[in-house]
Amino acid sequence: MRFYHFCLMFILSSSCTTNFGVINTDPVNGSTIPAGEQLTAAAYLLDGGREMGYPNLYIFQPMVQYVGGTYGMRTGGKYVRDEFYNGLMWSDYYGKCIKQLADLLQQHQADSTQVNYVAAARILKVYIFSLLTDAYGDIPYSQAGLAYYDKIYTPAYDRQSDIYKDFFSELTAAVEQFDDRQPVITNDIVYNGNVTKWKRMARSLQLRLAMRLSSADPVLAKAQAAAAFAGGVMQRNDDNFVMIHEDYSYPDLRGNGYAQALQEEAAYKYTIGTTTFVNYLKEENDPRLGMIFVNTDSVTNYLPIQPGLYWWEDWKDFVGENGEVVGQADKYCHISAPFYQQGGAWLHLGYAETELLLAEAAVRGWIGEDANAHYQAGLRAAMHQLEMYPGMVPLSDMSIDKFVAAHTLPANAIAAISMQKWVALFPNGYEAYANMRRTGYPVLNPVVDVEGESETGGHMPKRLFYPATEALSNPVHYQEAIARLGGSNDWMQPVWWDR
């Protein structure tokens, strides 16, 4: 497989370090690798390989109280700092993905025959940087990845407010840059060269980022949300930004990283639905409960775990009303098999989320649309969305119709939309964590911390802390960023759009 041979070459010639001096000074030689392969590598490595599954499984999913139970989940479930999990997004996205895209753009931005690759790379670059800044706050942005070309070995940390403004400029320019007269994108693992879908993804990302600013800068948010909608967002699940994978185990990067993390030491057996998530699904009579989690017996009825608990705490068997006994190790509901298939896809941004964002924009009066129509379209798309996972049994049309008909927008529309988006985003904890900080939904249950391990007194962190290596490799600009946080690398300080 051509991509596999390229991937091996890429891995051998790339750095996974958090040291910007190393990351930026030895890029893959862009003159010998086609732009399409660099674009593919940047996209593929977003979620390929177990290390890219760890932050979602052990930080973000427990943080939004999707799941709990394993020891690793103490990081996001009890709020215990872990330098390894915390730094993986930083090291891998900068050291692999951004490095490839920066090199692609430098090599090909003046070549009119490569304009479609450049436009797609700009869109993907905005997406990756959005993950980084939403997680960490102020980050190296405008100077990142350019040491080889501009000799900037210690890039400045741009303010998040400036980064977001540039996001909107970049997305708009990239959409306008696509040119049907020039060669199509080949070796495109995202949209197989379909420029229309790239444009819809860009506009949907623009909408997501616009709504992120609903409190921080509502004027800009309104303008960008309206522009995104007018420009043409995703129209169906076929437009989803999905990364495909192959059935390979760690350390092969072709496997789905989240699934590889779940497979490690059979962590999926103890990846348990929390009371916050499972009880909400039950209250809404949501048929997705049985798609997301497995109930291993006839009496426990998808027994959830309290946020913060390890699966072995609260040690006791479950006794059903009929006297049936279910042992401690088997009593909780755990994540279903389709989610830990290493050949499964990973959804970064989808039509269901886009429709729910449009519903919110309509409620706010930012677009002249029927909010309920978009809300229900989002619900329907979210239920079909789960069909992308290998072995997932689809819901019947009757079941979907019944659920959608029972869910019209109530008076507290923003809350309803936010809660359903929380469900629709599963298993994407990255976006769920960002959306929860913006909207306040879901309202989290208190963390149960039997051993007193929490380093925040049970209060949810507002951001990830900067990797410790930054204090050594980029000390001046690191200290500038720390000063804007009040003088310490404090993960309880919110990012700009959350203040």
Side-chain angles (χ1 to χ4, degrees):
M1 179 176 187
R2 187 173 73 159
F3 173 73
Y4 178 60
H5 293 305
F6 161 72
C7 211
L8 283 177
M9 178 171 62
F10 164 75
I11 294 164
L12 289 172
S13 60
S14 295
S15 169
C16 296
T17 179
T18 54
N19 186 323
F20 271 104
V22 177
I23 285 175
N24 292 325
T25 53
D26 185 26
V28 172
N29 188 338
S31 63
T32 62
I33 297 179
E37 294 193 355
Q38 287 191 291
L39 182 67
T40 291
Y44 208 83
L45 294 170
L46 270 171
D47 48 71
R50 193 170 70 193
E51 286 189 351
M52 290 320 304
Y54 286 151
N56 187 40
L57 182 60
Y58 294 130
I59 299 178
F60 297 117
Q61 285 194 332
M63 200 87 81
V64 300
Q65 297 186 354
Y66 279 143
V67 295
T70 74
Y71 182 77
M73 291 175 189
R74 66 202 286 266
T75 306
K78 295 178 185 283
Y79 318 134
V80 180
R81 287 170 65 120
D82 186 289
E83 184 67 37
F84 175 65
Y85 293 148
N86 177 88
L88 285 171
M89 286 180 67
W90 190 282
S91 62
D92 281 22
Y93 288 174
Y94 278 115
K96 296 177 181 178
C97 304
I98 296 302
K99 182 177 178 180
Q100 291 298 305
L101 294 174
D103 188 53
L104 185 161
L105 293 171
Q106 286 293 316
Q107 291 285 341
H108 301 291
Q109 61 186 350
D111 185 350
S112 62
T113 66
Q114 303 292 296
V115 66
N116 292 320
Y117 293 98
V118 169
R122 293 172 78 176
I123 294 167
L124 188 59
K125 187 179 176 185
V126 168
Y127 174 72
I128 297 168
F129 271 121
S130 75
L131 297 178
L132 286 165
T133 189
D134 287 345
Y136 294 98
D138 296 353
I139 57 169
Y141 174 68
S142 59
Q143 297 177 344
L146 297 177
Y148 180 79
Y149 298 97
D150 294 345
K151 310 307 178 188
I152 302 173
Y153 302 106
T154 54
Y157 283 55
D158 295 81
R159 294 178 183 268
Q160 189 179 67
S161 56
D162 295 330
I163 294 172
Y164 258 76
K165 290 175 183 176
D166 194 65
F167 282 167
F168 297 130
S169 297
E170 278 292 290
L171 290 172
T172 300
V175 168
E176 295 173 350
Q177 189 175 18
F178 283 112
D179 190 342
D180 293 337
R181 298 168 298 178
Q182 298 300 331
V184 298
I185 305 171
T186 59
N187 201 28
D188 177 7
I189 202 169
V190 180
Y191 285 121
N192 196 30
N194 190 318
V195 167
T196 298
K197 291 189 176 185
W198 271 106
K199 290 179 179 179
R200 289 176 179 171
M201 191 271 269
R203 293 301 189 185
S204 298
L205 177 57
Q206 181 182 3
L207 176 64
R208 174 197 275 185
L209 299 178
M211 300 308 293
R212 194 84 83 227
L213 308 188
S214 58
S215 295
D217 192 339
V219 174
L220 179 60
K222 178 180 178 179
Q224 290 297 325
F229 178 62
V233 295
M234 293 177 179
Q235 301 297 306
R236 57 189 66 87
N237 278 336
D238 285 347
D239 293 332
N240 288 353
F241 174 19
V242 173
M243 287 306 304
I244 59 172
H245 289 279
E246 298 175 76
D247 188 12
Y248 287 94
S249 301
Y250 176 81
D252 198 308
L253 299 181
R254 289 175 293 177
N256 181 306
Y258 175 65
Q260 287 183 348
L262 283 166
Q263 290 276 5
E264 184 181 22
E265 298 182 349
Y268 60 85
K269 293 182 180 179
Y270 309 104
T271 299
I272 301 163
T274 70
T275 52
T276 317
F277 192 35
V278 172
N279 289 347
Y280 176 72
L281 294 173
K282 289 180 179 179
E283 290 165 6
E284 298 298 310
N285 295 313
D286 196 320
R288 288 171 289 186
L289 174 60
M291 302 175 80
I292 297 172
F293 296 110
V294 173
N295 197 58
T296 58
D297 57 80
S298 61
V299 295
T300 55
N301 187 29
Y302 296 95
L303 183 68
I305 195 169
Q306 295 182 76
L309 279 182
Y310 299 124
W311 70 268
W312 61 85
E313 294 178 314
D314 190 27
W315 187 277
K316 61 185 177 183
D317 295 338
F318 181 91
V319 181
E321 293 181 358
N322 62 357
E324 182 177 342
V325 177
V326 180
Q328 166 71 22
D330 300 312
K331 69 182 181 181
Y332 293 119
C333 66
H334 62 78
I335 195 167
S336 67
F339 292 102
Y340 53 84
Q341 301 308 304
Q342 294 167 148
W346 179 259
L347 176 64
H348 288 277
L349 174 62
Y351 169 59
E353 178 191 346
T354 300
E355 283 289 352
L356 293 170
L357 289 168
L358 291 174
E360 181 182 347
V363 169
R364 293 180 182 275
W366 293 355
I367 58 173
E369 291 285 306
D370 183 335
N372 188 67
H374 284 293
Y375 175 64
Q376 292 191 315
L379 299 183
R380 189 176 298 278
M383 293 189 156
H384 284 298
Q385 177 178 281
L386 290 173
E387 297 167 12
M388 64 178 273
Y389 296 100
M392 187 70 77
V393 178
L395 293 171
S396 68
D397 290 341
M398 182 180 298
S399 179
I400 294 174
D401 291 343
K402 180 180 179 181
F403 182 82
V404 172
H407 288 76
T408 56
L409 277 179
N412 191 356
I414 299 295
I417 293 167
S418 300
M419 290 299 290
Q420 282 300 319
K421 184 158 42 164
W422 176 51
V423 178
L425 287 170
F426 185 87
N428 187 341
Y430 299 90
E431 179 58 22
Y433 177 54
N435 197 63
M436 180 179 67
R437 284 175 289 161
R438 177 181 72 89
T439 66
Y441 295 100
V443 176
L444 300 180
N445 285 334
V447 170
V448 180
D449 186 13
V450 175
E451 299 296 329
E453 296 173 88
S454 177
E455 297 177 20
T456 68
H459 299 290
M460 185 194 75
K462 298 293 188 178
R463 53 181 287 274
L464 298 190
F465 52 91
Y466 296 125
T469 51
E470 279 294 283
L472 300 175
S473 63
N474 193 4
V476 173
H477 295 307
Y478 169 79
Q479 288 299 332
E480 290 171 351
I482 291 301
R484 295 197 289 267
L485 289 172
S488 65
N489 192 2
D490 187 356
W491 63 344
M492 298 306 292
Q493 290 297 317
V495 299
W496 165 72
W497 54 251
D498 188 33
R499 290 173 188 163

